[in-house]
Amino acid sequence: MTQAPAWQHPFSRVEDVATTFAAHDYVADRALCLTTKLAFDLGKPILLEGEAGVGKTEVAKVLASALDTPLIRLQCYEGLDASSTLYEWNYARQILEIRLAESDAARRAGLDTALFGPEFLFERPLLKAIRHPGPRPAVLLIDEVDRADEEFEAFLLEILSDFQITVPELGTFHAVQRPCVILTSNRTRELNDALKRRCLYLWIDYPTPDKEREILARRVPGLDARLADNVARVMQALRSVDFYKRPGVAEALDWARALLELDVRELAPATVLDTAGVVLKYRDDVERLGRLDLEALLDGRAVEK
Amino acid sequence: MSALLDHTLALCHAAREAGLPVTQARTLDACRALASIDCANRDDYRVALRTNLVASREDEIVFERVFARHFGQWTDEHDGGAILARSELLRGELDAGRSNEGHRDMLTEADTFGAEEVARRANLAARWDPDAPPLAQVIRELARRLATRPSRRVAPDRRGARVDLRRSIRRNVRHGLDLLELARVARKTRKTRIVMLCDVSGSMDAFNPFLLQLMFGLQQALTASRTLVFSTRVSEITAALRRRTVAETLRDIGQRVRHWSGGTDIGAALGELNRGVLREGSSRATVLVVISDGYDNGDTARIAAELEVAKRQVRTLVWINPMFGASTFKVRAAGMKAALPYIDHFLPAFNGRALHQLVKGLRAV
């Protein structure tokens, strides 16, 4: 077991985290900065919950780029299992090795153990994160963990508390440098308590109008301040409507980029309707938008006609 | 530092009292976190504790309240008062004198049937019996009927369709160099997910004991299913139903659901379901079970609209109407009429006997 020298994370104060996020154009509030700092101090994963498109995944990307380490991403889905998350044996090479051994007595002798050696192992995201040599830790993003089934959560427990993975044929791999782990969930279902207990929890809400304006300004260069203001105000109003899918920050950014591309200087009711598909992704929702008083919407109020 | 520690421990204690899952380990983590923050900043202190002590959005809100109250910034009038369990729910006592047509049908029937009949139907009006839940077996049967669909996971199976290379190589390297013997896998079966939406408005009061039994039993039998109750609002009670004892469950539900015996807004409830629980997972794997009498104070057109959306998100839509069993039952409720075109199975169930009927009906689900 090789334990690398303890790596000192660069966030000695909460403000350092804030500076880092700001440098990567991510508008983070104090709670997120503090939670991030604690995650590094305590060596615990962060569980970020929130509606789709509020920037949960982005947190991991920013951290990876700030620490200049690889971002190892595991996108969850139902039926996710060990061979797609931990490791898989390279069967083609194994069979080739068996063929070679047929003509080579020396090879044949140790075949039984050689076939299950490290060189025949495909690393999958979790194992890759554990074996990341350092010195800076990898950022492991376990995205949309609520999409995976309960079995997978149970299986994450060992990894997230002990940072080790056992391959029966090879032994146990301990983390050289504990990865920085970010889990995200859209909260389509409740996660297991045991999993939550191992994590720091943070709910990311839709941004306030001011924050959204700042996000738009930072993320969409060239966007007119007044248009940014318009977009932020309309988004706020739209989120108060009971849509099937309320638009997130991601939609706001897409919309601002679309408007910029279309060379729109100022939002008009017709523009809102024409570009509705960027913001709303359900037919019923688009129809609902048509029933709203668009003039009022541009003023930041959502009322039916 | 020791004053700070006192505050922290007191807060942890208060949070636990308020029902947050504050374990010893979490308390320790919270204390460890103090070392790396500026404790003079109360917001930082609050966030540092919160992130360690809570596990969900709801918990966050509870914690904020605990924290504010600890530092004397919270007055109880904001709190809406202590959450009290409805005594009817806990004691199972029923108000039999409701002037509701459906109930009258049923109660009269109970009067005109023979003593044996009444006894069999009496479980509806009886309080929850902690010793012998009479529905346990039929619910198990119900769960079994609903319990098959192919999983995406695989398990070793000699006649499986797929070859498991890992086990094949492992097995064959032992006694030769060629793959003589193939290990196979097949997909496992997994349980269908049931999403149960149960009407607990005032008009359903007479059926409460039966409904509670049904919800508790199904949740215990099919752990992946979800149970929600609604009147004018919707509350998920899945976690409450997962508790081990009925007493704990009832207490928990009483604490969570404050709108029990309220009005009815079926459309809004379905809408919330459409935006929330039904979005999860594969639609082919979900069976939506609505238990309601269809008496509705909401917008009837909305019921139809929301059911149309719900229909796209589930495999089967089952509507259990407790009134349906009564002999004079006709579809009188406007909400029920609006819903009928979207329902795959419209079933009676207001007591154990009717539930047997329901189980037979489910063969086709």
Side-chain angles (χ1 to χ4, degrees):
Chain A
M1 215 187 329
T2 49
Q3 197 69 48
W7 169 77
Q8 191 55 49
H9 69 78
F11 308 123
S12 55
R13 291 172 315 133
V14 182
E15 286 74 19
D16 299 335
V17 188
T19 319
T20 305
F21 276 122
H24 288 81
D25 287 333
Y26 187 93
V27 184
D29 55 16
R30 182 130 183 129
L32 177 59
C33 296
L34 187 75
T35 307
T36 310
K37 175 172 156 48
L38 285 178
F40 281 103
D41 285 344
L42 304 177
K44 288 179 95 172
I46 308 179
L47 169 61
L48 296 175
E49 280 195 328
E51 303 292 336
V54 290
K56 300 184 293 293
T57 305
E58 202 61 26
V59 172
K61 291 187 184 162
V62 168
L63 283 179
S65 115
L67 297 176
D68 189 24
T69 59
L71 172 68
I72 300 171
R73 178 171 180 164
L74 177 64
Q75 171 67 50
C76 297
Y77 57 86
E78 193 190 324
L80 201 61
D81 59 5
S83 62
S84 48
T85 55
L86 295 181
Y87 61 90
E88 178 78 301
W89 292 102
N90 185 344
Y91 304 118
R93 262 198 79 184
Q94 282 179 328
I95 293 173
L96 204 63
E97 187 69 20
I98 295 175
R99 288 274 164 250
L100 287 173
E102 281 173 4
S103 53
D104 183 345
R107 268 175 190 267
R108 207 175 312 158
L111 189 64
D112 200 356
T113 47
L115 266 189
F116 292 93
E119 64 276 24
F120 292 96
L121 200 65
F122 276 136
E123 286 179 358
R124 299 291 191 223
L126 294 179
L127 184 60
K128 198 184 271 176
I130 294 281
R131 293 187 66 187
H132 180 70
R136 292 181 305 277
V139 174
L140 172 63
L141 169 64
I142 304 178
D143 213 5
E144 303 189 333
V145 67
D146 51 335
R147 279 179 191 268
D149 36 28
E150 280 93 358
E151 286 102 324
F152 175 68
E153 280 177 47
F155 161 90
L156 272 182
L157 295 179
E158 181 195 0
I159 295 161
L160 293 187
S161 53
D162 301 335
F163 291 95
Q164 61 177 42
I165 288 173
T166 305
V167 181
E169 293 89 347
L170 280 179
T172 302
F173 293 102
H174 296 270
V176 180
Q177 184 72 60
R178 280 189 173 204
C180 160
V181 186
I182 311 265
L183 294 101
T184 75
S185 159
N186 287 334
R187 217 185 175 197
T188 53
R189 69 181 173 84
E190 281 302 329
L191 302 178
N192 192 314
D193 279 345
L195 178 63
K196 284 178 157 186
R197 203 160 50 232
R198 284 163 174 80
C199 302
L200 295 174
Y201 178 85
L202 189 68
W203 171 265
I204 300 192
D205 221 332
Y206 289 123
T208 59
D210 290 339
K211 190 175 162 194
E212 186 148 39
R213 214 170 296 132
E214 197 186 334
I215 297 171
L216 286 168
R218 280 176 173 275
R219 288 275 161 151
V220 189
L223 187 71
D224 181 54
R226 206 163 50 136
L227 189 58
D229 190 53
N230 267 336
V231 170
R233 202 177 314 149
V234 172
M235 293 309 281
Q236 290 292 322
L238 284 178
R239 283 185 202 126
S240 70
V241 181
D242 202 14
F243 288 123
Y244 286 110
K245 171 69 188 78
R246 292 201 176 101
V249 183
E251 277 80 12
L253 291 172
D254 282 349
W255 198 29
R257 285 188 194 114
L259 293 174
L260 199 64
E261 207 59 46
L262 294 171
D263 217 12
V264 173
R265 305 276 157 170
E266 194 168 2
L267 275 178
T271 330
V272 176
L273 280 185
D274 289 347
T275 52
V278 184
V279 182
L280 299 171
K281 310 290 167 70
Y282 280 76
R283 188 174 150 242
D284 298 347
D285 287 351
V286 177
E287 277 174 8
R288 183 103 190 249
L289 178 71
R291 292 201 300 274
L292 292 178
D293 181 347
L294 294 174
E295 292 291 346
L297 189 70
L298 293 180
D299 277 344
R301 287 175 296 124
V303 281
E304 300 254 334
K305 258 187 246 174
Chain B
M1 184 67 196
S2 88
L4 182 67
L5 202 59
D6 285 346
H7 270 305
T8 309
L9 292 177
L11 271 167
C12 290
H13 184 72
R16 192 181 302 134
E17 289 284 293
L20 297 183
V22 180
T23 56
Q24 209 47 253
R26 282 195 167 177
T27 308
L28 279 175
D29 279 336
C31 293
R32 278 171 60 209
L34 296 181
S36 55
I37 59 159
D38 171 19
C39 294
N41 181 334
R42 188 175 287 177
D43 276 339
D44 282 8
Y45 177 59
R46 178 175 54 84
V47 173
L49 289 191
R50 188 181 74 190
T51 194
N52 275 296
L53 298 182
V54 309
S56 74
R57 176 71 176 144
E58 286 73 32
D59 288 358
E60 270 192 357
I61 294 165
V62 173
F63 179 81
E64 296 293 344
R65 197 161 63 209
V66 168
F67 189 88
R69 188 178 289 137
H70 181 81
F71 287 102
Q73 293 167 339
W74 196 276
T75 49
D76 271 331
E77 47 195 272
H78 293 123
D79 199 20
I83 308 163
L84 290 175
R86 268 186 61 88
S87 50
E88 282 87 339
L89 177 58
L90 292 181
R91 291 202 308 273
E93 279 177 13
L94 291 165
D95 179 8
R98 277 184 185 270
S99 55
N100 183 310
E101 315 171 66
H103 297 150
R104 208 161 47 227
D105 292 348
M106 208 181 49
L107 293 169
T108 343
E109 273 199 11
D111 286 340
T112 46
F113 274 99
E116 189 205 1
E117 247 348 83
V118 176
R120 274 170 75 186
R121 292 181 179 215
N123 53 17
L124 145 88
R127 60 180 69 192
W128 179 280
D129 179 0
D131 301 320
L135 294 182
Q137 197 183 340
V138 67
I139 285 174
R140 259 202 304 280
E141 177 68 8
L142 179 65
R144 203 179 58 78
R145 288 263 155 94
L146 289 168
T148 42
R149 71 180 168 101
S151 160
R152 297 209 33 177
R153 291 179 179 276
V154 293
D157 183 331
R158 256 189 296 178
R159 283 162 303 176
R162 265 158 62 182
V163 172
D164 181 352
L165 275 173
R166 178 181 179 148
R167 273 172 49 242
S168 299
I169 291 187
R170 190 83 254 200
R171 192 182 288 175
N172 287 287
V173 82
R174 226 181 302 139
H175 48 237
L177 297 175
D178 273 315
L179 293 183
L180 298 171
E181 192 191 325
L182 289 180
R184 290 173 178 278
V185 287
R187 287 170 77 170
K188 290 199 231 179
T189 32
R190 74 172 278 180
K191 295 190 170 174
T192 310
R193 193 174 70 118
I194 297 185
V195 175
M196 194 162 24
L197 180 67
C198 186
D199 187 343
V200 295
S201 62
S203 64
M204 296 283 285
D205 269 1
F207 310 103
N208 275 347
F210 168 70
L211 293 181
L212 284 168
Q213 273 182 308
L214 184 63
M215 292 190 286
F216 188 69
L218 263 184
Q219 188 69 59
Q220 302 274 327
L222 294 174
T223 46
S225 65
R226 306 272 294 263
T227 309
L228 300 96
V229 293
F230 76 98
S231 57
T232 45
R233 293 192 295 127
V234 184
S235 311
E236 174 154 12
I237 55 166
T238 309
L241 291 170
R242 279 185 185 148
R243 298 199 175 267
R244 235 167 274 118
T245 68
V246 174
E248 274 179 62
T249 298
L250 294 184
R251 196 171 53 235
D252 210 6
I253 296 177
Q255 274 168 7
R256 272 167 210 246
V257 186
R258 290 202 259 176
H259 50 88
W260 203 283
S261 298
T264 325
D265 193 344
I266 302 179
L270 286 168
E272 204 166 320
L273 214 62
N274 282 337
R275 267 175 287 280
V277 177
L278 292 184
R279 286 282 187 76
E280 163 202 334
S282 134
S283 61
R284 297 287 85 193
T286 307
V287 175
L288 173 63
V289 180
V290 181
I291 309 174
S292 169
D293 54 10
Y295 287 98
D296 184 56
N297 332 109
D299 177 5
T300 316
R302 177 142 189 229
I303 299 182
E306 295 291 357
L307 274 176
E308 198 182 329
V309 177
K311 197 79 181 74
R312 289 203 296 265
Q313 307 193 65
V314 301
R315 188 175 62 173
T316 312
L317 176 56
V318 180
W319 192 297
I320 300 179
N321 191 327
M323 304 284 180
F324 190 45
S327 58
T328 54
F329 175 84
K330 273 191 239 101
V331 180
R332 269 185 295 236
M336 199 65 248
K337 268 186 201 146
L340 274 178
Y342 303 98
I343 298 171
D344 296 311
H345 298 270
F346 186 51
L347 302 168
F350 50 89
N351 59 16
R353 197 182 61 156
L355 192 65
H356 275 290
Q357 209 74 16
L358 164 76
V359 169
K360 272 187 231 153
L362 278 175
R363 207 193 297 268
V365 166

